[in-house]
Each structure stands twice: as C-alpha cells, then as structure tokens.
Amino acid sequence: MTEHTLTVAGVTVDTRHWIGGERLASAATFTDVSPVDGSVIGEISRGTPQEAEAAVAAAKAAFPGWAATPRAERARLLHAVADGVEKRLEELAIVETTDNGALLRSHRRGVMPRVAHNFRFFADWLLTLGHEDFETRGHTNHVSWDPAGPCVLITPWNAPLMMASWKIAPALAAGDTVVLKPAEWTPLTASLLADIAAEAGLPAGVLNIVQGYGSEVGDALTSHPDVARISFTGSVPTARHIAAQAAPQLTPLSLELGGKSPLLVFADADLDLAVDLAVEQYDNAGQVCLAATRLLVEESVAEEFTRRFTAKAARLRQGDPRDEATDIGPNIHPRQLDKIDGFVQRALAAGARAVVGGHRGEGQSYAPTLLTDVAQDSEIVQEEVFGPVLTLQTFRTEDEAVRLANDTRFGLAATLATGSHERAERVTARVVAGTVWVNCFFVRDLQAPFGGSRQSGVGREGGTWSFDFYCDLKNTVTAPKGWLNHG
C-alpha cells in the first residue's frame, strides 16, 4: 500500500481519479467504509469542480479521434476491456463485495460476468447497427448514428460496476467519450475498471473517472456546456436536480429512477412459483430498483400464499456476504439502514402488522420484512424503501388488481404470476411499467428497451435504443439528379 493505493482483500486499488489517461489526486479525500463489518477501507480522492473541468476537457479533446475511429476498432477495444474484466473477475468480485456488501457468490457467478457481457454485447451490436435505405419520390433516405460528444454517466451504489458498464459500453461503442462519476459509497471497482481499460489500449481521455460527492463534483459535470449527454441512475429528487442543472444547456438526459413495483398473484397461479418470485425480491438486501416490493395477492389464496411465503422466508440465511451460504448480506450504509427502519417503524405505528421481520438484524443488516394491513395511500405502499421490506395487500377482481398495481407515481416494472395466457395478455396491456415479467423475474436481454414510466424515469436504453440516446441521428436525403457525368 502506498499513499494513493489501498489493498482490499489482497487487491491493489488506486484511490485517485482517472483523467486523460493519468492518475490525479485531489487535495481532499472522503472515507470509504465497508458495509460488511463497518471497517474503514481507506481514503479516496474527493473531486472538486477543478477535477470535473479537467475530466470534461480530456473527454472533449479525445472525442474527435475516438469518433473517427472505425467501428471495427472500437468494437475490438471494447472486447479487449471485456477480456480484462474476465481476467480479473475474482478480484473485481471480492473488491465490490467489500465495498457494497452484496453477495460474493452473486458477484462471481452473475454480476461480473454480466459486466464483461455488457462490453461484448454493445461492441457486437455496433457492428450490426443500421437502417435500410428507403425511397421518397425517387429520393434516397439514409439514416446514420453520429457520435454525440462527451457524456457524463452517474451510477448508483447497489450494482456499481454492472451499472457503470451498462452505460459506458454503449457510449463508447457509439463513438462518444465518457466521464464517469461513481457513487461515493462504492468507488473502488470503477478505479479497477480504469486500469483494465488502460491495459486494453483504450486511448487517453476516452474514459475518465472522477470520484466524489454530487454537490461538489456532480453539479460541475451535469451543468457543463461541453457535455453532450447525461445518463443517471438513482433517486427521483436527485434526478430533478440534475435535470435543472442540465436545462440551461438543453443537455439530453436518460434517467432510470426509483420503483415501487407490484407482484400480482392470481388464484390460478402456481403458488410455489409465486412464492419463489416473492422471496426473490429480497435479493441484494432489497436494494434493487426493479424489486416487486408490493405483493398483491388474490384474496382466495392469500392465506395459503402467506403461509408458504413465511416458511420459505424463514429459511433465508442472513450474514457475511463473503460466505457462500449467505442469502442476504448487509445494507449499504448506516444512513440507509436508518431510513429503512424509519419506514418500517412508521408503518407499524400506523397499524401495519409485521408477518415477517420488522426490525434490524445484526451489524448493518435489516431483517427480511413482510408487512400486512397497510393502506393503499400509506407511505410504506407509496414510497420506495430500497431495503428488504415487502408489503402484502389482497384483491378480489382483476380490475382491482390492476388499479392497485398502477396506483403509485412509479412505473418501472411489474411481475405477474398467473396460469392463464389470456389473463397475462389482458393485465400486461393495462399495467403501467417499463418491463413486465410473467411467471419469472429479472430476466433481462440487452437488446430489449429498458427504462421506466411516470416518475420511474425518462427514456429507454438497450440495443438500438442505447445508440439512439448516445448518438445524434441523422437522415441524409439524396436526389437522383444533379450529378456530374464522369463517364
């Protein structure tokens, strides 16, 4: 360990920013703490508007060369980054578990392989990106996707590297340059990604990473006149602030925000499957924006559903996320733990009943919780908790189920459990959500559009939709006449 490096579970991590292909330190630092045991990991360079300006300037300077780089070469470099991720997969997994408390087994088997896949997918999609030319009164229309410019990407703490790669990969594939600001609670794997990108041969300034607080460095990035795109994943209040910062420049935004998604369980559903889907919502200690935290169960099967759910939830093992046998790890931060408990205690005081949990666990954990006897207009039903807390309500008719499902300000996702194809078609057509899963959960293909309706977000990314956002679309119309005759 040196002045600017940490050793995290045997892995060396640089604590400085990555700007213009170089490591740069700030005068001030912030403290990174592990949610696993509350220990201090180390001090991280704390960005200021000065570092923000330097990062945008580096991205702007690198943009012409990167935009002019042939598609095949950009794709090759993204595959090289993916190779580097796979080579260091175990290191990335243990560092991210230390930094954000998510299960090590999940990072090894799912999350880090998905990081590599994100880079490979958008590299390959770039090579197929196109639209057939079409005719208008004898004129030819040709659609192209032109690189837009420097992009600011702001990522959350619940899946730090996966969410960063989900944004970085299409932006770089599109020919844009990037300034990434990772969440201050989880900066470490972004720093490792800078090393991987450099080793892969990514030109200096194409990827820049600035660490720090939103109020100190984030505002300087999102209000910068040289930024062509802003992509943000996080809370609705922060999104409103970013939108206000971007508004004077009319900088296009992609916002993936909160959710309060429903899981609708109909009487004709396979109840064991429905219970499995419901208990799965405790994944990542409930820190998943897509989680179906509102269980809406048809009244005639609600008692049996609750009995089976309670039995299955009781078998969940909560503990050290580095232990392969652990099912639920800690929550990210004491402040988040206090927020979760505040939601639950206010709900209990208002008359809710805790069928499961309803209290803090050991260390920085919250016990998996299921609350019943909750009113539709109550805070616990309407607001995102972002912890292992579910509510259960009942319905009698399909119309009532849809009404309850749609009765929040969010619209990120919805999950249905039903044995009827006809009902699935009817309900999915009426539910307001960016993604609907039927008899499954969290099955995501990168070519599908992803985003939320209402206050769950603005825009869609994934497949060609990502390139639509990160590029300036151009239509060139060519006349059949007016050409010089050379032959």
Side-chain angles (χ1 to χ4, degrees):
M1 187 168 67
T2 67
E3 180 185 359
H4 296 300
T5 62
L6 304 172
T7 300
V8 183
V11 181
T12 300
V13 184
D14 202 300
T15 62
R16 294 170 292 179
H17 313 287
W18 178 251
I19 298 174
E22 297 180 350
R23 290 288 182 178
L24 297 175
S26 297
T29 63
F30 63 93
T31 304
D32 189 23
V33 177
S34 174
V36 176
D37 55 11
S39 63
V40 172
I41 300 173
E43 297 298 315
I44 311 298
S45 278
R46 179 172 170 174
T48 67
Q50 181 178 346
E51 284 80 25
E53 179 64 39
V56 174
K60 182 180 179 181
F63 173 68
W66 183 245
T69 300
R71 286 187 178 189
E73 177 62 9
R74 294 205 301 263
R76 185 192 69 78
L77 287 167
L78 292 183
H79 275 292
V81 173
D83 291 342
V85 170
E86 290 174 346
K87 181 180 177 181
R88 301 188 67 178
L89 189 146
E90 180 64 21
E91 294 180 3
L92 292 166
I94 188 62
V95 168
E96 188 142 298
T97 289
T98 304
D99 208 18
N100 87 329
L103 299 184
L104 180 57
R105 74 184 192 204
S106 295
H107 281 138
R108 283 172 170 158
R109 300 171 193 172
V111 177
M112 294 309 162
R114 182 58 174 256
V115 170
H117 177 61
N118 285 344
F119 282 103
R120 296 198 192 283
F121 173 87
F122 285 107
D124 292 340
W125 198 266
L126 169 65
L127 299 181
T128 65
L129 184 67
H131 190 292
E132 288 188 5
D133 290 353
F134 54 97
E135 298 296 316
T136 304
R137 299 191 301 276
H139 295 64
T140 301
N141 293 264
H142 176 74
V143 177
S144 57
W145 283 260
D146 293 351
C151 299
V152 165
L153 313 178
I154 303 175
T155 50
W157 45 257
N158 60 322
L161 194 57
M162 194 277 286
M163 290 303 303
S165 63
W166 160 250
K167 298 176 186 294
I168 292 170
L172 295 184
D176 296 339
T177 51
V178 164
V179 179
L180 171 72
K181 196 205 86 65
E184 60 268 23
W185 287 349
T186 53
L188 299 184
T189 48
S191 181
L192 292 178
L193 182 63
D195 295 335
I196 291 169
E199 291 167 7
L202 206 66
V206 170
L207 173 63
N208 307 275
I209 298 172
V210 181
Q211 303 150 159
Y213 297 112
S215 60
E216 296 175 351
V217 70
D219 285 358
L221 292 172
T222 55
S223 63
H224 201 291
D226 290 334
V227 170
R229 298 289 187 275
I230 299 170
S231 179
F232 168 74
T233 297
S235 71
V236 172
T238 302
R240 291 194 182 107
H241 179 76
I242 290 172
Q245 294 289 106
Q249 294 73 240
L250 296 178
T251 309
L253 298 168
S254 176
L255 305 173
E256 194 263 284
L257 309 178
K260 196 69 181 176
S261 302
L263 166 53
L264 292 81
V265 179
F266 291 92
D268 58 10
D270 178 332
L271 273 195
D272 285 333
L273 171 62
V275 167
D276 287 346
L277 293 173
V279 173
E280 191 178 350
Q281 308 310 312
Y282 290 133
D283 182 51
N284 201 23
Q287 299 168 143
V288 178
C289 58
L290 293 161
T293 56
R294 295 185 295 131
L295 310 182
L296 306 177
V297 184
E298 193 162 348
E299 190 175 86
S300 61
V301 296
E303 184 176 347
E304 179 61 17
F305 173 89
T306 304
R307 184 188 68 78
R308 297 189 197 185
F309 177 94
T310 302
K312 188 173 181 66
R315 295 194 292 271
L316 293 173
R317 179 171 174 176
Q318 193 164 24
D320 191 323
R322 298 166 296 189
D323 187 336
E324 282 282 318
T326 296
D327 298 308
I328 300 179
N331 290 94
I332 183 70
H333 193 278
R335 196 162 76 209
Q336 183 67 15
L337 195 66
D338 289 342
K339 178 183 174 184
I340 295 166
D341 193 47
F343 272 111
V344 172
Q345 299 311 316
R346 289 191 297 273
L348 294 173
R353 181 169 63 92
V355 177
V356 177
H359 55 82
R360 295 172 185 258
E362 294 183 6
Q364 210 161 286
S365 298
Y366 204 85
T369 296
L370 176 65
L371 302 177
T372 61
D373 301 334
V374 292
Q376 179 62 24
D377 62 354
S378 63
E379 177 192 57
I380 197 67
V381 171
Q382 293 293 324
E383 298 298 327
E384 185 178 44
V385 177
F386 222 61
V389 179
L390 311 180
T391 60
L392 190 150
Q393 298 166 271
T394 62
F395 62 85
R396 292 184 178 179
T397 68
E398 190 176 296
D399 284 346
E400 184 183 11
V402 172
R403 178 182 63 78
L404 292 172
N406 288 338
D407 188 20
T408 74
R409 62 193 173 103
F410 298 106
L412 187 56
T415 304
L416 274 62
T418 177
S420 167
H421 287 285
E422 292 77 14
R423 171 173 283 122
E425 290 177 1
R426 289 194 305 270
V427 174
T428 55
R430 298 173 64 192
V431 168
V432 178
T435 301
V436 181
W437 287 288
V438 180
N439 293 331
C440 61
F441 177 67
F442 218 35
V443 179
R444 283 198 52 204
D445 192 307
L446 292 183
Q447 66 184 313
F450 180 75
S453 302
R454 295 176 174 168
Q455 291 193 23
S456 285
V458 175
R460 295 291 185 272
E461 295 186 42
T464 300
W465 288 275
S466 287
F467 289 93
D468 288 348
F469 173 68
Y470 288 110
C471 290
D472 288 325
L473 269 74
K474 178 188 293 177
N475 185 45
T476 301
V477 184
T478 303
K481 57 187 178 181
W483 303 101
L484 295 176
N485 184 353
H486 295 289

